[in-house]
Amino acid sequence: MHENERHRVILSAVEAKPFVSVAEMVEMTESSEATIRRDIATLHMQKKLRRVRGGAESVAPPAVTGLLGRPFSVNQSKNAAQKRAIGRAAVEMLEEGEAIIINGGTTTFQMVHPLATRRCQVFTNSFPIAEHLLKQTKNTVVLPGGTIYREQNIILSPFDNDVTRNFYARRMFMGCQGIAPLGIMEPDPLVIQSEQKLIGQAEEVVILADSSKFEKRSSLILCPLEQVDTLITDDRITDVHAAMLESAGVTLVVAPSGAATEEEAEAG
């Protein structure tokens, strides 16, 4: 990742929450600790952030505390070809006119392009998903009430009267922070609270996750694997992880991403 791109990612993360650690920035940018410390020093001198022990903080902390986890803009470029393949496979499951829930995230966002050929009823808490479906498709879009979290581009509410309880869906499509034998993992309590409400409104839960999510962990578990009906991932999934899903009774759908990767290489 080039210096300008690292600086953009670091500033986006720092603006999303009061404090971001060096370790978090290393993981976000896939850079060394020494490189990140130099970036922090540079941005501190430019007065774009404030260097503090162990990381950095915003010079103008947000009025609304951001959510834990990477901002939408940071996640968007990660494993893009795999996410597109997963999004296409998810839409192939749908029937015309079906009522569905699409939770906010960069993998679920990839459902919007193939949805252009469908006319479904879509409940989503994602601004980018809602905007694209409204402008580019004929799908009906329903949004919940709540607070807008700019960096993740989602709407979340801790209250029950946010329209969620009034929507019924055949399937709920959602991403995640990580996948482990104990279950599906997310980084923020408010995200988990919102997703658990949404899960209760759908007959089936479908997880959209590229294979890297099997190596990631979080301190919070959204639900056990046994509560997941289907998981769609890319063709880099290992036999060990496939066996883990099978033992939990999860239907595994593998979306080949090789063609998409080749197209990207040709375009580049």
Side-chain angles (χ1 to χ4, degrees), residues 119-134:
R119 291 198 178 195
C120 294
Q121 301 173 61
V122 181
F123 182 100
T124 183
N125 59 5
S126 165
F127 259 36
I129 291 174
E131 181 180 31
H132 187 96
L133 293 179
L134 285 170

Side-chain angles (χ1 to χ4, degrees), residues 162-256:
D162 62 356
V163 185
T164 300
R165 301 297 189 193
N166 301 105
F167 192 87
Y168 156 83
R170 174 75 175 82
R171 296 181 178 93
M172 175 182 174
F173 297 89
M174 59 184 292
C176 64
Q177 172 78 8
I179 305 165
L182 287 176
I184 304 301
M185 313 181 92
E186 287 284 26
D188 192 279
L190 187 56
V191 170
I192 285 184
Q193 185 178 8
S194 172
E195 290 177 343
Q196 285 176 339
K197 283 193 297 183
L198 291 171
I199 287 173
Q201 302 304 117
E203 287 186 21
E204 296 180 16
V205 175
V206 182
I207 301 294
L208 277 58
D210 67 79
S211 54
S212 71
K213 296 298 178 69
F214 288 93
E215 305 299 335
K216 294 189 168 105
R217 295 292 183 268
S218 173
S219 60
L220 300 175
I221 297 173
L222 168 67
C223 66
L225 288 180
E226 289 74 13
Q227 197 171 347
V228 176
D229 295 283
T230 303
L231 188 143
I232 307 176
T233 189
D234 60 76
D235 48 12
R236 296 178 183 176
I237 184 173
T238 66
D239 292 341
V240 171
H241 293 141
M244 176 184 73
L245 297 174
E246 182 181 1
S247 66
V250 179
T251 299
L252 173 62
V253 176
V254 176

Side-chain angles (χ1 to χ4, degrees), residues 85-128:
I86 291 167
R88 287 194 299 268
V91 174
E92 287 172 4
M93 298 176 63
L94 302 179
E95 297 178 5
E96 191 70 14
E98 189 171 323
I100 60 173
I101 295 171
I102 305 179
N103 198 52
T106 55
T107 307
T108 50
F109 177 77
Q110 292 303 323
M111 292 178 66
V112 300
H113 305 292
L115 271 172
T117 62
R118 306 295 179 100
R119 291 198 178 195
C120 294
Q121 301 173 61
V122 181
F123 182 100
T124 183
N125 59 5
S126 165
F127 259 36

Side-chain angles (χ1 to χ4, degrees), residues 1-10 21-40 70 74 78:
M1 188 179 288
H2 295 298
E3 182 180 72
N4 289 341
E5 180 67 8
R6 289 198 313 273
H7 287 185
R8 184 186 67 80
V9 169
I10 290 170
S21 69
V22 169
E24 287 176 298
M25 295 181 206
V26 166
E27 202 267 335
M28 286 178 183
T29 61
E30 298 179 347
S31 304
S32 68
E33 182 176 325
T35 297
I36 291 302
R37 291 191 182 279
R38 285 196 298 270
D39 288 338
I40 292 174
R70 287 175 174 167
V74 174
K78 299 285 183 181

